[in-house]
Amino acid sequence: MTKTDILVIGSGIAGCAAARAAAKKGVDVLLMTRDSSLEESNTFYAQGGIIFRGDNDAPHKLAADIIAAGAGLCYEPAVRVLSEEGPRCVQEVLIDELQVPFDVVDESSDEYDLTAEAAHSVRRILHYKDVTGRAIETAFLQALAKNPHIHILTNATAIDLLTLSHHSLNPLDTYEPPTCIGAHVLINETGVVDTVFAKETILASGGLGRVFLHTTNPPGSRGDGIAMAYRAGARCINMQYVQFHPTTLFHPSGRFLISESLRGEGARLMSPRGEEFMKRFHPNGSMAPRDVVARGIHQWMIESGEPYALLDISHKSPDWIRTRFPGIYEKCKSLGIDITREPIPVVPAAHYSCGGVSVDALGRSNVARLRAVGEVACTGVHGANRLASTSLLEGLVWGTRAGSDAAEGTLKSGGHYFPEIAPWVYERETVDPALIAQDWLTIQQTMWNYVGLVRTTKRLDRAHEILRELHLEIERFYDKAAISDSLIGLRNGVQTALAILLAAMECRESRGCHYRSD
Ligand code: SIN
């Protein structure tokens, strides 16, 4: 058994920001991740950048861009928090404290090289080449490692959140409001399940892109946080709004994000015959909001029968391309595509969940002592379609707010109740890895084909039949099987897929990235 003041589950920008802010108040933080490497997170792979402030920029201009992209569904108080506090938080935490080496205009100046992305009215995005997330994550982890209040646990998978009503052995706790008291955690190396009690638990477990066949997300994005929060009784909202990134590399080895900042720097989407077809779908062409571009490419592919569109930046100088986009240049080159001379074949892929655990401005969910920050949470900022480069900012701002407020709460109120809970029961049946692999494929193909960019009642109904059955089957063997990270992931994956599907079935109106052709 372990006890901590604050348990942070997930080590991307939101988790790191929460841990940093809480530790600053002098409380003990346990920062855990299921990967063996703390840096493995969606943040690490973020390319484009993080919003700062442009020339003649102002919070109300940023707010207007977020709201326009969000298709009328943004929660304005949350947008105000982001646009007013965000740039200040970037300055104080990332620039002044962590000294993230964002690109400057030239070596001799301290003027930042702000980039553009679709649906931003000004250039306001800080970046470090095309590996911005990596630069931020590395700087955060170096700082956290030196902090004596922060304890790090890697290679540990949260199985379930502990709540009074689900886990307490005191039957009278049923009458308490829903309250989270920590998590059951599988230590992957030993197979031991630890009970981690926490005064406050902050979910920062990232996204869910892996429930789709094609995604920009790393393998850990299996919706673990959503499924755990859901089982604990947390409200999950806007789950139908899964954003598809318009441009990922089309290659048999898998999808690879081709940053929107390429288009921000002048790359053009076109057909093999050179037609800039996006102009047919939106006056801003390649720079239209992300949901419009993703659907435009999809529609054009159906009409033309082409397996991919082309994204061309080769009109820029080769040296500039190699310096500005080294990650994308190298990746494409390793697959035989020289982006300084030829266009990149691109297709849309699942990218970001705009919905999640419903939280307030301090990251609090409807379950007491449970907060959520970053992609797993829904603050309402993104509405039905997220504006590019808002996600790192949201993770930073809400992580900081939630960490700080949670720490203050634990300091203020003396006793946090921890009941006696039943010991973990170890089951013994082994699970055939082939079953897990095939079940994942069923989830991913079903979500991609029936709950993807374009949805219809018939497709959603078919998906429901498949996933409902699969969910029951997985629950049946989960109950008897020896616990493992892959089993936990599969159970979470099917539950998260169902949460998206059910939200999509209920929502008959096309809006933002939920599009129903019927
Ligand atoms: C990108 O670099 O295109 C991704 C940026 C984002 O999703 O905000």
Side-chain angles (χ1 to χ4, degrees):
M1 196 256 283
T2 305
K3 256 191 185 175
T4 182
D5 291 323
I6 313 266
L7 170 64
V8 179
I9 302 174
S11 59
I13 188 169
C16 287
R20 171 195 160 275
K24 267 194 168 241
K25 304 271 175 192
V27 303
D28 274 336
V29 178
L30 179 63
L31 174 65
M32 60 163 286
T33 178
R34 57 176 282 281
D35 205 87
S36 54
S37 155
L38 202 56
E39 65 186 16
E40 177 67 15
S41 59
N42 264 333
T43 298
F44 187 79
Y45 299 99
Q47 296 179 358
I50 184 165
I51 289 171
F52 190 40
R53 59 176 94 80
D55 284 347
N56 296 320
D57 204 359
H60 72 268
K61 291 189 186 168
L62 171 57
D65 290 349
I66 292 172
I67 287 167
L73 210 69
C74 297
Y75 182 53
E76 290 206 28
V79 174
R80 269 202 302 280
V81 168
L82 190 83
S83 48
E84 284 166 15
E85 272 181 36
R88 195 170 67 233
C89 215
V90 169
Q91 179 73 50
E92 286 173 9
V93 181
L94 299 187
I95 296 177
D96 296 343
E97 189 177 316
L98 301 181
Q99 305 193 344
V100 178
F102 294 116
D103 281 2
V104 287
V105 173
D106 63 63
E107 305 265 296
S108 61
S109 97
D110 54 5
E111 186 190 335
Y112 285 115
D113 176 40
L114 298 170
T115 196
E117 281 180 335
H120 282 274
S121 53
V122 296
R123 295 177 83 92
R124 57 161 76 99
I125 296 155
L126 284 176
H127 66 98
Y128 174 69
K129 305 189 186 299
D130 61 355
V131 286
T132 311
R134 190 160 84 194
I136 294 174
E137 184 71 18
T138 307
F140 248 126
L141 294 183
Q142 277 168 2
L144 298 191
K146 293 187 203 132
N147 192 315
H149 292 292
I150 299 176
H151 311 276
I152 307 268
L153 179 63
T154 56
N155 206 2
T157 308
I159 304 169
D160 260 315
L161 296 169
L162 300 172
T163 71
L164 289 183
S165 48
H166 292 94
H167 297 92
S168 172
L169 286 179
N170 178 356
L172 296 180
D173 281 342
T174 310
Y175 302 113
E176 294 296 324
T179 303
C180 178
I181 49 174
H184 267 142
V185 174
L186 172 66
I187 310 301
N188 286 309
E189 227 166 58
T190 58
V192 169
V193 174
D194 191 14
T195 302
V196 179
F197 284 119
K199 294 178 182 169
E200 286 268 350
T201 300
I202 303 181
L203 260 184
S205 49
L208 48 72
R210 284 278 161 167
V211 305
F212 292 88
L213 190 60
H214 301 299
T215 178
T216 60
N217 293 190
S221 301
R222 9 178 243 199
D224 285 348
I226 290 290
M228 281 193 292
Y230 191 79
R231 290 194 294 270
R235 224 178 125 226
C236 297
I237 58 169
N238 288 0
M239 294 301 299
Q240 66 272 39
Y241 300 113
V242 176
Q243 183 172 69
F244 287 72
H245 198 287
T247 57
T248 68
L249 180 66
F250 176 82
H251 193 270
S253 63
R255 301 294 181 257
F256 175 76
L257 178 63
I258 305 293
S259 176
E260 188 149 323
S261 48
L262 249 87
R263 278 176 286 136
E265 297 294 349
R268 288 182 301 256
L269 271 167
M270 50 191 209
S271 72
R273 275 182 289 155
E275 183 211 354
E276 288 193 42
F277 61 84
M278 267 313 301
K279 295 239 164 78
R280 284 201 269 132
F281 297 99
H282 196 280
N284 294 351
S286 296
M287 294 296 275
R290 201 173 263 190
D291 58 323
V292 177
V293 182
R295 271 197 307 276
I297 295 175
H298 178 81
Q299 181 63 27
W300 170 82
M301 280 166 57
I302 289 173
E303 285 168 13
S304 64
E306 297 286 347
Y308 50 77
L310 295 172
L311 183 67
D312 192 13
I313 191 142
S314 63
H315 55 282
K316 294 272 198 179
S317 92
D319 277 350
W320 181 88
I321 294 173
R322 281 190 287 262
T323 311
R324 175 64 182 84
F325 295 109
I328 294 171
Y329 170 77
E330 287 300 337
K331 175 72 184 183
C332 290
K333 190 154 164 263
S334 75
L335 299 170
I337 302 160
D338 181 353
I339 69 170
T340 65
R341 292 169 2 149
E342 59 192 319
I344 310 167
V346 290
V347 286
H351 183 56
Y352 191 88
S353 170
C354 300
V357 180
S358 174
V359 296
D360 69 6
L362 296 169
R364 290 177 297 202
S365 73
N366 61 308
V367 176
R369 292 163 58 182
L370 175 66
R371 300 176 193 239
V373 292
E375 189 172 349
V376 69
C378 180
T379 62
V381 162
H382 307 307
N385 178 46
R386 182 177 65 90
L387 179 69
S389 286
T390 47
S391 49
L392 292 176
L393 191 68
E394 188 195 38
L396 178 67
V397 170
W398 257 263
T400 302
R401 285 179 143 246
S404 183
D405 190 66
E408 276 170 19
T410 63
L411 291 171
K412 258 189 248 146
S413 56
H416 280 77
Y417 172 52
F418 294 116
E420 207 185 319
I421 66 164
W424 179 264
V425 179
Y426 290 88
E427 300 292 343
R428 294 273 163 248
E429 251 176 50
T430 50
V431 183
D432 180 354
L435 289 184
I436 294 194
Q438 179 54 43
D439 286 352
W440 261 118
L441 213 53
T442 304
I443 296 169
Q444 291 169 331
Q445 284 180 333
T446 305
M447 293 300 285
W448 182 257
N449 291 322
Y450 300 147
V451 199
L453 261 170
V454 176
R455 299 162 177 176
T456 66
T457 303
K458 277 204 173 122
R459 291 180 193 178
L460 295 175
D461 285 347
R462 174 66 65 87
H464 194 210
E465 277 166 34
I466 297 168
L467 292 182
R468 202 175 40 187
E469 189 55 41
L470 187 63
H471 176 227
L472 290 177
E473 184 55 33
I474 290 171
E475 283 297 321
R476 267 197 290 271
F477 70 73
Y478 178 87
D479 280 345
K480 298 210 183 69
I483 195 81
S484 67
D485 173 71
S486 56
L487 183 64
I488 296 165
L490 178 64
R491 180 190 189 214
N492 289 337
V494 74
Q495 288 184 355
T496 300
L498 267 170
I500 299 167
L501 169 65
L502 293 176
M505 289 174 85
E506 246 169 55
C507 184
R508 296 181 161 269
E509 172 203 47
S510 291
R511 189 189 278 269
C513 39
H514 172 61
Y515 183 79
R516 297 189 57 145
S517 63
D518 56 355

